[in-house]
Amino acid sequence: MSKIKVGIINVTGYAGVELARILGQHPEIKLTSVTGRSAAGQTLAEVFPHLANLNLAITTELGDVDFAFSALPHKESSKECLPLIQGGTRVVDISADFRLKDPTAYPAWYGFTHPAPELLKQAVFGLPEIYRSRIASAQIVANPGCFPTSAILALAPALKAGIIEPEIIIDSKSGISGAGRTLTLSTHFSEVNEDVSAYALDGHRHLPEITQELNLLNPNQAVKVTFIPHLVPMTRGILTTIYSTFKTGKISRGKKKKDELLTLYRDYYKEMPFVRVVDFSPHTKYTLGNNNCLIHPTTNPGGDKLIVFSCLDNLVKGAAGQAVQNMNLMLGFPETMGLEAPAIFP
Amino acid sequence: MSKIKVGIINVTGYAGVELARILGQHPEIKLTSVTGRSAAGQTLAEVFPHLANLNLAITTELGDVDFAFSALPHKESSKECLPLIQGGTRVVDISADFRLKDPTAYPAWYGFTHPAPELLKQAVFGLPEIYRSRIASAQIVANPGCFPTSAILALAPALKAGIIEPEIIIDSKSGISGAGRTLTLSTHFSEVNEDVSAYALDGHRHLPEITQELNLLNPNQAVKVTFIPHLVPMTRGILTTIYSTFKTGKISRGKKKKDELLTLYRDYYKEMPFVRVVDFSPHTKYTLGNNNCLIHPTTNPGGDKLIVFSCLDNLVKGAAGQAVQNMNLMLGFPETMGLEAPAIFP
Amino acid sequence: MSKIKVGIINVTGYAGVELARILGQHPEIKLTSVTGRSAAGQTLAEVFPHLANLNLAITTELGDVDFAFSALPHKESSKECLPLIQGGTRVVDISADFRLKDPTAYPAWYGFTHPAPELLKQAVFGLPEIYRSRIASAQIVANPGCFPTSAILALAPALKAGIIEPEIIIDSKSGISGAGRTLTLSTHFSEVNEDVSAYALDGHRHLPEITQELNLLNPNQAVKVTFIPHLVPMTRGILTTIYSTFKTGKISRGKKKKDELLTLYRDYYKEMPFVRVVDFSPHTKYTLGNNNCLIHPTTNPGGDKLIVFSCLDNLVKGAAGQAVQNMNLMLGFPETMGLEAPAIFP
Amino acid sequence: MSKIKVGIINVTGYAGVELARILGQHPEIKLTSVTGRSAAGQTLAEVFPHLANLNLAITTELGDVDFAFSALPHKESSKECLPLIQGGTRVVDISADFRLKDPTAYPAWYGFTHPAPELLKQAVFGLPEIYRSRIASAQIVANPGCFPTSAILALAPALKAGIIEPEIIIDSKSGISGAGRTLTLSTHFSEVNEDVSAYALDGHRHLPEITQELNLLNPNQAVKVTFIPHLVPMTRGILTTIYSTFKTGKISRGKKKKDELLTLYRDYYKEMPFVRVVDFSPHTKYTLGNNNCLIHPTTNPGGDKLIVFSCLDNLVKGAAGQAVQNMNLMLGFPETMGLEAPAIFP
C-alpha cells in the first residue's frame, strides 16, 4: 500500500516549515514535494537544519501530489491553488483566500479582487471543532487565522448557549512568529525584544473572519466585535482575553456561576480532542509546539461579565497543526494522528 | 548650604534600588541612608554593583534624615512609617498602605487592619498629574501602584469630560519586575520566559485603588471596572489597553473623532511634563528607564468605543520615578529635576 | 503482552518532568509511577498542565516498577537508588552520583562521602556514543551532565585520533533551565533576563567528569582542561565552544584541513543517530526539544587550532532524552525509539 | 557664550541614535544637526519617539557644525568624513575606516581601497584608557569596535606587565543590537530569540584591530589571537571571556595570585573613570545604558591560566558612549561629562 503523497506550496515561511515538521512525522502520508521561490534549488535541510531528516529538495513546482497545503500569502495563494482545485486535488489553504464568504470583503480588507468568488461558498472554514463533518467531505478547506481560532473557540459555547450580549471585546497577545518570516522593522530583534505594543488599530484583517464566524454561531444576534492584537516578546503563542456581558437571567449568580461555565464549556467540547477547558489561568507555554487550545471561562468579581482566556501555539493550532487536523478529517484518519506530542515545557 | 538628607527604607527590592539609582543623580538632595533587612551590613555596591558609585552601607535603621521614602511591602510599610510621620518627617510611601481612603478596604484587600486609619484622610494620593498642588504641601504621599498610574492617566481626560459610560475594561500587560524581587515560581526564568498569562483573576489589589480614583474624577458617575493584569516576558514596562463606550452625542462621529480625542487629551495634560499624548500606538520600549507615560486615545473602526493605550516603565513612572517626582513637588524643586534622562532605546 | 513498567523518582524538577514528557510517548514502555516530595498527593496534571494526558498521581514512594530513572539531586539520588539497585532493578541515574570513578572526588567536588563506592566501578557512564555496548548490559547507568555531553562529544574524535595537544579550553553557554527549578536569585527572571555572565569560576562540578572521560578516550595523554560555563537568557540549549591546538604533522594544512576534520568526525559518528556533524555554525535553536547534538569541527584562519562547536538541548540530549536513549539500549529497543521528533523551530 | 555645535552623520542606526540620546543630555555642547538617508525629511521624534524632546529634523546634509560624529558604515564613512576633515572639522568616526594603521588591511578585511591612506597614521585610535593624551589633540579619532574595546581593556594590564604568553583566546558573547538596525534573517526576532550561535568563523573584521592594538601594547611580543564572537538573545551587552597562559615566574602561585592580579589591574586603571576592576564575575546587566567596562581578572584552579572577563554595553562603551568620552577629551571637558548615569538595573 503506497502512502498518500502530500505537498506543501511555499515551505519557507513559518507556517510552511511547521507543516513540514508535523507532516514529516505523520504515519499515514508521505511528504513528497515542497516548493519555495527564492529558496528553490536548495534542500530543505540547508534552509531549515532541524528538518535534515526529511531529505527533500525545495522546488518551484509542486509536481504530482494527492493532497496539497498552501502556505502562500493571501492573493498569491488562491492564484496558485486554482489549477490544483480545478484538477480535483483536495487543498487546505492556510492563507485567508477562502475564509470569507463575502467576495466584497477581499478588496475591502485584502486589497485584491478574488479570482474565483464562486468557490467561496464551496470552501469550508477549517475549524474542526465547529465544522468537523463538513470538513471531512470538503475539497477546499480554508484554514482559520491564528487569532480567529483562539477567539472563536473561546466564544462558541457562550454564543451557542445565548448567554451573552452582542458586544464583545477581544484583546489578543501574540508572539512575534505570527508576523511571519519576512524581514520588517517590527520583527527586528532589537526593536521588539523587551517591548509590548498594540498594532493594526484601524482594523486587523482577522476581524471580518472573526465576525463572520461568531455570527454564524448564533444567527439571531449580530455580534459587535472590538479586536485589538498586541505583540509580546516571545517566539510562539497567543493568549486571547475576551470580555463580554451576560444576558440577564441566563446564568446563575454567585459562586455557582463559575462551575456552570466550566460545565457548559466542557459539555460543548467533550468530543474535541484538542480543546482543553481548564479551571485555572492558562499559559501559552503549556501549548508550545502542540496542537491544543486551552480555554478558561470565568467571570469578574461582580459576576456580570463573561471573561474567557484562550491560548494556543499560533504556528500549530493557529496554523500548521490545525491544517493537519483538517487533513486527517478529510482523509479519514483519526483526528489526532501525528498531533499527539505534548507541549515542550519549560 | 547643605543638601537635604534623604533616606530609603528597604532599598533591596526593585522599587528601592531604582529609587537609589534616581536619587543618586539628583542635584539637590543627598541620599544618606538606605536600609535593608537580610542585606544589612553589606554595602549597596555589594548587593547592586551598578550603584557602586554611591558608596553607601545598608543599615537596619534609617538614622537621621530630612525626608524618607518607604519601599517596604504593604502592612510593614505603615508600621515603619508611623514613627517617622509622628516625628514630623515627610514621607513618600511606595506601598499601598496610604492609598485607600476607606480603612475597611485594608482587611478586605490586603489582609490587615490599618494601624492608623486617621491618617488615610490626610495622606495624598501621589499622582502629580491629578493632585499636584495637594502633594506639594502633604506630609504623607501615597505613591500610586504601577497599574493604577497607567490606567488613571489613560482615563482621566475622558472621565473629566464626561464622554464615556461607566463600564470600563482595563487589560494590562506587565513586565516581570512588577512582581518584585522575592523568589517565586511565577518569576522563575524558565517558567515565565516565552510565556504570557493572566493572573489575579479573583480581583487584583490594584482594583480598589483604580476604582477609588476614577470615581473621584467624576463624582456624578460610579465606574464599573473590570481589570485583568497579564505577565509578559520582559523585565520592565506596562502597556494598558482600555476599552469603554462613548456616551451618545458627547463626541463627534467619523474621522474628526480621533483628532478631537487627541485635542481633549493634549489640553488636559498640556502642563504635565511626563505625560506625552501621542498619535501612534505606543511601545513600552519608548519608556525604558524613564519617567514618561505615553498615552494614545483612539476609537474603533465603528467609532462607538473609546480605546486608550498607555505605557510606562513600571519601576519609574510606576514606582520610583513618580516617587521622586512627588518629592520634587513636596520640596519645591522643579518637577522634572533628576528625571530628565530619555529612555534607553533599543 | 504487558509493557515494561517504568518509574521516575522526583518528577518535579526539569529533568524529571522532561523524562515524563518523553516516556509518555514511548511506544514500548508504560510510565506507571512518578514521585515527588512537596508535590506528592497532587496529580502530574496539576503541577505540569502540559502532561495532563498522562493521568498520573505524584506519590512519595516509587512502587513496583521494572525500570527506574532517578532525577533527584546528587547525594539524595544514590541514597534512594541503593535499595532499588540491591533489589535488582535497573536504574538510570540523572544525578552525578555514579558518574565519577574515583570515590574521593565526591567529598572533594560534591561535599559528601559516597554511600556505595564499590558500585562506582560497576556503573557505566551513560554516553551511548562512547559506551553503547556496555550500557546495553549495565544495571546502573550514570547519565552524563549536560556540559560534559556537549564537550565530550565535541572532542572524542580528535582525542581518539590523537591530533590535538592536551591543553583544552571549553567555553560553554547554557540556557537558564540548566540551573533547575529551585528558586534562586540567579534564576529570577528580572536578574538574568537581558544578561550574560560566567559562573563557577572556582571550578564547576562538571570539570572532574569531563576530565575523567577525556582521559579515558586517549589514555596516552592526560588532558589539561579549562572549563568556564556561562548563563545566557534563554530557557533551553547549550552551545559549547572548544579551543585546542593541533599536534604538528597530524593533519594537513590549508583548505583541505576543514574537509579532513569533517571526514574524521563523520566517520567517527557514522553509526550514531543523534550526533550530526555539520559544515556550518550550529545554533542551539536547531535542537529545541530534540535529542540531537550538532557538532561543527573547524579551524582558525591560521590553521593551527582545532575549534569545535557543539550544541544540544540541555534537558533532552543533556538529560532526559539521553536517559531514554540509555534505557532503549538497556532494554534492547531501537536506540531512537520515542526520540525521533525533530526540533521545534523557530 | 554659545555652546559648541555638534552634528551626527547617520543618526538612524543604533550607534547614531545612541549618540543622539547621550549628546542630547550633555551640558556643554548642543546637538544641532543629524543626518540620515531614507529617513531624511522626518523629525528625529518620528523615527525615534524616545528622543522627542530633542526637536531635531533629520537632514541629508550635515550643515555647519563645530564637531562631527560619523555613524556611517565602513567605506561610506571615510568618504563622507574626508571633506569635513579637509575643512578642519574635528571628527570622531565610529566606523572602522580610521582604525587600522595598515592601508592594505582595508581591501583584505573590508573589501575597499582606503580613499586617504595618508590619514591613517594621523588618526588616533579612540580608546581613552590607552591613548588619552593623543586623543586630546587629535583631529580624527577612530572610535574602536565593541569587541576590541572589551578585549583590549581586558588584556592591556597583563600585556603591559609582560606576564602572559602570546597565544590568546577571545570568546565574546554579544547582544543582537551589535548587528545593527539593518534587516537580516540573523537579526529577525524568531530566528535569534532562544538561540546562541557563533558567527564569522572565517575571521571577524574586528580581529585585525584587536591584533594591531595588542601588539602595540607590548612590541616585544607578537600576539597570536583566536577570536570567536557569539550572538546571545538580548538587546545590549557584550561579555568577553579571555584565556591565556602565564609566563613562568612572572606571577606568584597559589591564593596570592588572584590578589596580585586584582592589584595589577587596579593600579593600571586607577585613573580611568569608566573601567571598574571587580573581584566577582561581572554581568552585562550591570552596564545597561552606561559607559562602564567591568573587568574581572582571575585564574583557573590550576593557576597557570590568566582568565579575564570583561563586560560593557556595546552601544555605549562599545560605541556612542566611548565616542562622547573621546569628544570630551578632544574639547577639554571632564572625561565623564554627560556620561555619569549609572546602569539601568534590573
Side-chain angles (χ1 to χ4, degrees):
Chain A
M1 268 295 285
S2 64
K3 288 185 179 176
I4 291 164
K5 287 182 289 179
V6 172
I8 301 168
I9 306 173
N10 197 35
V11 76
T12 56
Y14 289 142
V17 65
E18 188 69 345
L19 266 175
R21 177 180 73 85
I22 297 170
L23 292 171
Q25 303 175 78
H26 195 285
E28 294 289 339
I29 64 97
K30 185 163 175 56
L31 181 62
T32 57
S33 172
V34 295
T35 80
R37 287 167 293 188
S38 55
Q42 296 186 272
T43 65
L44 191 60
E46 284 171 306
V47 184
F48 297 111
H50 69 299
L51 297 183
N53 65 315
L54 293 185
N55 259 323
L56 280 163
I58 301 173
T59 57
T60 50
E61 298 299 323
L62 194 58
D64 177 44
V65 298
D66 304 314
F67 193 98
F69 293 89
S70 170
L72 280 167
H74 61 86
K75 187 179 176 188
E76 297 173 58
S77 191
S78 48
K79 214 171 74 184
E80 289 224 21
C81 287
L82 278 185
L84 287 170
I85 293 165
Q86 284 150 2
T89 305
R90 298 176 81 187
V91 172
V92 173
D93 180 13
I94 290 190
S95 88
D97 282 4
F98 294 97
R99 293 181 197 155
L100 303 178
K101 296 301 171 195
D102 175 5
T104 68
Y106 286 95
W109 286 93
Y110 289 94
F112 75 102
T113 302
H114 200 283
E118 70 285 0
L119 293 179
L120 295 177
K121 253 173 291 181
Q122 178 192 332
V124 178
F125 192 76
L127 197 55
E129 288 76 13
I130 312 280
Y131 297 108
R132 191 191 265 164
S133 64
R134 295 187 50 199
I135 291 164
S137 58
Q139 190 198 355
I140 313 168
V141 167
N143 213 56
C146 50
F147 292 123
T149 299
S150 73
I152 299 164
L153 292 178
L155 282 161
L159 285 172
K160 272 282 188 193
I163 60 173
I164 54 170
E165 300 285 351
E167 293 249 354
I168 295 168
I169 307 284
I170 301 174
D171 185 297
S172 290
K173 297 90 179 162
S174 173
I176 311 296
S177 67
R181 204 166 179 238
T182 305
L183 304 179
T184 63
L185 207 52
S186 62
T187 52
H188 193 63
F189 184 89
S190 300
E191 305 273 323
V192 287
N193 184 39
E194 297 294 289
D195 187 44
V196 177
S197 66
Y199 69 103
L201 303 192
D202 291 329
H204 189 281
R205 283 167 169 165
H206 285 171
L207 178 58
E209 182 181 339
I210 293 171
T211 304
Q212 165 185 296
E213 293 302 315
L214 296 186
N215 280 337
L216 288 168
L217 282 162
N218 184 348
N220 301 320
Q221 169 179 288
V223 294
K224 287 186 60 184
V225 172
T226 300
F227 166 52
I228 303 282
H230 301 74
L231 279 183
V232 298
M234 60 186 192
T235 301
R236 290 173 179 235
I238 286 177
L239 178 75
T240 290
T241 312
I242 286 171
Y243 305 90
S244 64
T245 303
F246 289 119
K247 288 185 177 167
T248 315
K250 290 288 183 179
I251 192 159
S252 65
R253 293 238 147 232
K255 286 191 183 170
K256 271 173 43 192
K257 182 172 296 178
K258 289 187 190 178
D259 291 338
E260 263 188 68
L261 284 171
L262 281 174
T263 301
L264 172 71
Y265 272 66
R266 283 179 172 157
D267 283 351
Y268 188 88
Y269 287 120
K270 66 175 178 288
E271 317 251 304
M272 307 299 165
F274 293 114
V275 176
R276 283 181 57 204
V277 178
V278 298
D279 59 2
F280 53 84
S281 181
H283 290 234
T284 61
K285 212 175 178 65
Y286 298 154
T287 65
L288 181 68
N290 164 276
N291 201 48
N292 283 344
C293 177
L294 269 64
I295 296 181
H296 177 54
T298 186
T299 183
N300 58 333
D304 60 322
K305 299 278 177 203
L306 172 69
I307 302 175
V308 191
F309 303 94
S310 79
C311 66
L312 51 76
D313 182 324
N314 55 301
L315 296 180
V316 189
K317 184 62 178 168
Q322 183 143 275
V324 174
Q325 187 182 352
N326 281 317
M327 180 198 76
N328 283 338
L329 293 172
M330 293 164 82
L331 297 178
F333 301 137
E335 189 169 350
T336 59
M337 185 173 272
L339 296 165
E340 299 91 344
I344 305 288
F345 177 93
Chain B
M1 268 293 287
S2 64
K3 287 184 179 176
I4 291 163
K5 287 182 290 182
V6 172
I8 301 168
I9 305 173
N10 197 34
V11 76
T12 55
Y14 288 142
V17 64
E18 188 68 347
L19 266 175
R21 178 181 73 86
I22 297 171
L23 292 170
Q25 302 175 78
H26 195 285
E28 295 289 338
I29 63 96
K30 187 164 174 55
L31 181 62
T32 57
S33 173
V34 295
T35 79
R37 286 166 294 187
S38 55
Q42 295 186 272
T43 64
L44 191 59
E46 285 170 305
V47 184
F48 297 111
H50 69 299
L51 296 183
N53 66 315
L54 293 185
N55 259 325
L56 281 164
I58 301 173
T59 56
T60 50
E61 299 298 324
L62 194 59
D64 177 44
V65 297
D66 303 316
F67 193 98
F69 292 89
S70 170
L72 281 168
H74 63 85
K75 187 178 176 188
E76 297 175 57
S77 191
S78 49
K79 214 170 75 183
E80 288 225 21
C81 286
L82 277 184
L84 287 170
I85 293 166
Q86 284 150 2
T89 304
R90 298 177 80 186
V91 172
V92 174
D93 179 14
I94 290 188
S95 88
D97 282 3
F98 294 98
R99 293 181 198 156
L100 303 179
K101 295 303 171 195
D102 176 4
T104 68
Y106 285 95
W109 286 92
Y110 288 94
F112 74 102
T113 302
H114 200 283
E118 69 286 359
L119 293 180
L120 294 177
K121 254 173 291 181
Q122 178 192 330
V124 178
F125 192 76
L127 196 56
E129 288 75 13
I130 311 280
Y131 296 108
R132 191 191 265 163
S133 64
R134 293 186 52 198
I135 290 165
S137 57
Q139 191 198 354
I140 312 168
V141 167
N143 213 59
C146 50
F147 291 123
T149 297
S150 75
I152 300 164
L153 292 177
L155 281 161
L159 284 172
K160 272 285 188 191
I163 61 173
I164 53 171
E165 299 287 350
E167 293 250 355
I168 295 167
I169 307 285
I170 301 174
D171 185 296
S172 290
K173 298 89 179 163
S174 173
I176 312 295
S177 67
R181 205 167 180 239
T182 304
L183 304 179
T184 63
L185 207 53
S186 63
T187 52
H188 193 62
F189 184 88
S190 300
E191 304 273 325
V192 286
N193 185 40
E194 297 293 290
D195 185 45
V196 177
S197 67
Y199 67 103
L201 303 193
D202 291 328
H204 188 281
R205 282 165 170 167
H206 285 173
L207 179 58
E209 183 181 337
I210 293 171
T211 304
Q212 166 184 293
E213 293 302 316
L214 296 186
N215 280 337
L216 288 168
L217 281 163
N218 185 348
N220 301 321
Q221 170 179 286
V223 293
K224 286 187 61 185
V225 172
T226 301
F227 166 54
I228 303 282
H230 301 75
L231 279 183
V232 298
M234 59 185 193
T235 302
R236 290 174 179 235
I238 287 176
L239 179 74
T240 290
T241 311
I242 287 170
Y243 305 89
S244 63
T245 304
F246 289 120
K247 289 185 175 166
T248 315
K250 291 288 183 178
I251 192 158
S252 65
R253 292 239 146 230
K255 285 193 181 168
K256 271 172 48 191
K257 185 173 293 177
K258 289 188 189 177
D259 291 339
E260 263 188 70
L261 284 171
L262 281 174
T263 303
L264 173 72
Y265 272 68
R266 283 179 171 157
D267 284 352
Y268 188 88
Y269 287 121
K270 66 175 180 285
E271 318 250 304
M272 306 298 164
F274 293 113
V275 176
R276 283 181 56 206
V277 179
V278 299
D279 58 3
F280 54 83
S281 180
H283 289 234
T284 60
K285 212 173 177 64
Y286 298 154
T287 65
L288 181 68
N290 165 275
N291 201 48
N292 282 344
C293 177
L294 270 64
I295 296 179
H296 178 55
T298 187
T299 183
N300 58 335
D304 60 322
K305 297 280 177 200
L306 172 69
I307 302 176
V308 192
F309 302 94
S310 78
C311 66
L312 50 77
D313 182 325
N314 56 301
L315 296 180
V316 189
K317 184 61 177 170
Q322 183 144 276
V324 173
Q325 187 183 351
N326 281 318
M327 179 198 76
N328 283 339
L329 293 172
M330 293 165 82
L331 297 178
F333 301 137
E335 189 169 350
T336 60
M337 185 172 271
L339 296 166
E340 299 92 344
I344 305 288
F345 178 93
Chain C
M1 268 294 284
S2 63
K3 287 184 180 177
I4 291 164
K5 286 183 290 180
V6 172
I8 301 168
I9 306 173
N10 197 33
V11 76
T12 56
Y14 288 142
V17 65
E18 188 69 345
L19 265 175
R21 177 179 74 86
I22 298 170
L23 291 171
Q25 302 176 78
H26 195 285
E28 294 290 338
I29 64 97
K30 184 161 176 58
L31 181 62
T32 57
S33 171
V34 296
T35 80
R37 286 167 293 189
S38 55
Q42 296 186 271
T43 65
L44 191 59
E46 285 172 304
V47 183
F48 297 111
H50 70 300
L51 296 183
N53 65 316
L54 293 185
N55 258 325
L56 280 164
I58 302 174
T59 56
T60 50
E61 299 298 324
L62 193 58
D64 177 44
V65 296
D66 303 315
F67 193 97
F69 293 89
S70 170
L72 281 168
H74 62 86
K75 188 179 175 188
E76 297 174 59
S77 191
S78 48
K79 215 170 73 183
E80 289 225 22
C81 286
L82 278 185
L84 287 170
I85 294 165
Q86 283 151 3
T89 305
R90 298 177 80 186
V91 172
V92 173
D93 179 14
I94 290 190
S95 88
D97 282 4
F98 294 97
R99 294 181 198 155
L100 303 178
K101 296 301 172 195
D102 176 5
T104 68
Y106 285 94
W109 286 94
Y110 289 93
F112 75 103
T113 302
H114 201 283
E118 70 285 0
L119 294 179
L120 295 177
K121 254 172 292 179
Q122 179 193 329
V124 178
F125 192 76
L127 197 55
E129 289 75 14
I130 312 281
Y131 297 108
R132 190 190 267 165
S133 64
R134 293 187 53 200
I135 290 164
S137 58
Q139 191 198 355
I140 312 169
V141 167
N143 212 57
C146 50
F147 292 123
T149 298
S150 74
I152 298 163
L153 291 178
L155 282 161
L159 284 171
K160 272 284 188 191
I163 61 173
I164 54 171
E165 299 286 351
E167 294 249 354
I168 295 168
I169 306 284
I170 301 174
D171 185 296
S172 290
K173 297 89 178 162
S174 173
I176 311 296
S177 67
R181 204 167 179 237
T182 305
L183 304 179
T184 63
L185 207 52
S186 63
T187 52
H188 193 62
F189 185 90
S190 300
E191 305 274 323
V192 287
N193 184 40
E194 297 293 290
D195 187 44
V196 178
S197 66
Y199 68 103
L201 304 193
D202 291 329
H204 189 281
R205 282 166 169 167
H206 286 171
L207 179 57
E209 183 181 339
I210 293 171
T211 304
Q212 165 185 295
E213 293 301 315
L214 296 185
N215 280 338
L216 288 168
L217 281 162
N218 185 349
N220 301 319
Q221 170 181 287
V223 294
K224 286 187 60 185
V225 172
T226 301
F227 166 53
I228 303 283
H230 301 75
L231 279 183
V232 298
M234 60 187 191
T235 303
R236 290 174 179 235
I238 287 176
L239 179 74
T240 290
T241 312
I242 287 171
Y243 304 90
S244 64
T245 303
F246 289 119
K247 289 185 178 167
T248 314
K250 290 289 183 178
I251 192 158
S252 66
R253 294 236 146 234
K255 286 192 181 168
K256 271 173 45 191
K257 183 173 295 177
K258 289 188 189 176
D259 291 337
E260 263 188 69
L261 284 170
L262 280 174
T263 302
L264 172 71
Y265 272 68
R266 284 179 170 157
D267 283 352
Y268 188 87
Y269 287 119
K270 67 174 177 287
E271 317 251 304
M272 307 297 166
F274 294 114
V275 176
R276 284 181 55 206
V277 179
V278 298
D279 59 1
F280 53 83
S281 180
H283 290 233
T284 60
K285 212 174 178 65
Y286 298 154
T287 65
L288 181 68
N290 164 275
N291 201 48
N292 282 345
C293 177
L294 270 63
I295 296 181
H296 177 54
T298 187
T299 182
N300 58 334
D304 61 321
K305 298 278 178 200
L306 172 70
I307 302 177
V308 191
F309 302 94
S310 78
C311 66
L312 49 76
D313 182 324
N314 56 301
L315 296 180
V316 188
K317 184 63 178 167
Q322 183 144 274
V324 173
Q325 187 182 353
N326 281 318
M327 180 198 76
N328 283 339
L329 294 172
M330 293 165 82
L331 297 178
F333 301 137
E335 188 169 350
T336 59
M337 186 173 272
L339 296 166
E340 299 91 343
I344 305 287
F345 177 92
Chain D
M1 268 296 285
S2 64
K3 288 184 179 176
I4 291 164
K5 286 183 291 183
V6 172
I8 301 168
I9 305 172
N10 198 33
V11 76
T12 55
Y14 289 142
V17 65
E18 188 68 347
L19 266 174
R21 177 180 74 85
I22 298 170
L23 291 171
Q25 302 176 77
H26 194 284
E28 295 289 339
I29 64 96
K30 184 161 176 57
L31 181 62
T32 57
S33 172
V34 295
T35 79
R37 289 165 293 188
S38 55
Q42 296 185 271
T43 64
L44 192 58
E46 284 172 305
V47 185
F48 297 111
H50 69 299
L51 297 183
N53 65 317
L54 292 185
N55 259 323
L56 280 164
I58 301 173
T59 57
T60 51
E61 298 299 323
L62 194 60
D64 177 44
V65 297
D66 304 316
F67 193 98
F69 293 89
S70 170
L72 280 168
H74 62 86
K75 188 179 173 187
E76 298 174 58
S77 192
S78 49
K79 214 170 74 182
E80 288 224 22
C81 286
L82 278 184
L84 286 170
I85 294 166
Q86 284 151 3
T89 305
R90 299 176 80 186
V91 172
V92 174
D93 179 14
I94 290 189
S95 89
D97 281 4
F98 295 98
R99 293 180 198 156
L100 303 178
K101 297 302 172 193
D102 176 4
T104 67
Y106 285 95
W109 286 92
Y110 288 93
F112 74 103
T113 303
H114 201 282
E118 69 285 1
L119 293 179
L120 294 177
K121 253 173 291 181
Q122 180 193 328
V124 177
F125 192 76
L127 197 55
E129 288 75 14
I130 311 280
Y131 296 109
R132 190 191 265 163
S133 64
R134 293 186 52 199
I135 290 164
S137 58
Q139 192 199 351
I140 313 169
V141 167
N143 213 58
C146 50
F147 291 123
T149 298
S150 74
I152 300 164
L153 291 178
L155 282 160
L159 284 171
K160 272 285 188 191
I163 61 172
I164 54 171
E165 299 287 352
E167 294 250 354
I168 295 167
I169 307 285
I170 301 174
D171 185 297
S172 290
K173 296 92 178 162
S174 173
I176 311 296
S177 67
R181 204 168 180 239
T182 304
L183 304 179
T184 63
L185 207 53
S186 63
T187 52
H188 192 63
F189 184 88
S190 300
E191 304 273 325
V192 287
N193 184 40
E194 296 293 290
D195 186 45
V196 177
S197 67
Y199 68 103
L201 303 193
D202 291 329
H204 189 282
R205 283 166 169 166
H206 284 172
L207 178 59
E209 182 181 338
I210 293 170
T211 304
Q212 166 185 293
E213 293 301 315
L214 296 186
N215 280 337
L216 288 167
L217 281 163
N218 185 348
N220 301 320
Q221 171 180 285
V223 293
K224 287 187 61 184
V225 172
T226 300
F227 166 54
I228 303 282
H230 301 75
L231 278 184
V232 298
M234 61 185 192
T235 302
R236 291 173 178 235
I238 287 176
L239 179 74
T240 290
T241 311
I242 286 170
Y243 305 88
S244 64
T245 304
F246 290 119
K247 288 185 178 168
T248 315
K250 290 289 183 179
I251 192 157
S252 65
R253 292 239 147 232
K255 286 192 181 168
K256 271 173 47 189
K257 184 174 292 177
K258 290 188 187 176
D259 291 339
E260 263 188 69
L261 284 171
L262 280 174
T263 302
L264 172 72
Y265 271 68
R266 284 179 170 155
D267 283 353
Y268 188 88
Y269 287 120
K270 66 174 179 283
E271 318 249 305
M272 305 300 164
F274 293 113
V275 177
R276 284 181 55 205
V277 178
V278 299
D279 57 3
F280 54 83
S281 181
H283 290 234
T284 60
K285 212 174 177 63
Y286 299 154
T287 65
L288 180 69
N290 165 275
N291 201 48
N292 283 345
C293 177
L294 269 63
I295 296 180
H296 177 55
T298 187
T299 183
N300 58 334
D304 61 322
K305 297 280 177 201
L306 172 69
I307 302 176
V308 191
F309 303 93
S310 78
C311 65
L312 49 77
D313 183 324
N314 56 301
L315 296 180
V316 188
K317 185 62 178 170
Q322 183 143 275
V324 174
Q325 186 183 354
N326 281 318
M327 181 198 76
N328 283 339
L329 294 172
M330 293 165 82
L331 297 178
F333 301 136
E335 190 170 349
T336 59
M337 185 172 272
L339 296 166
E340 299 92 344
I344 305 288
F345 178 93

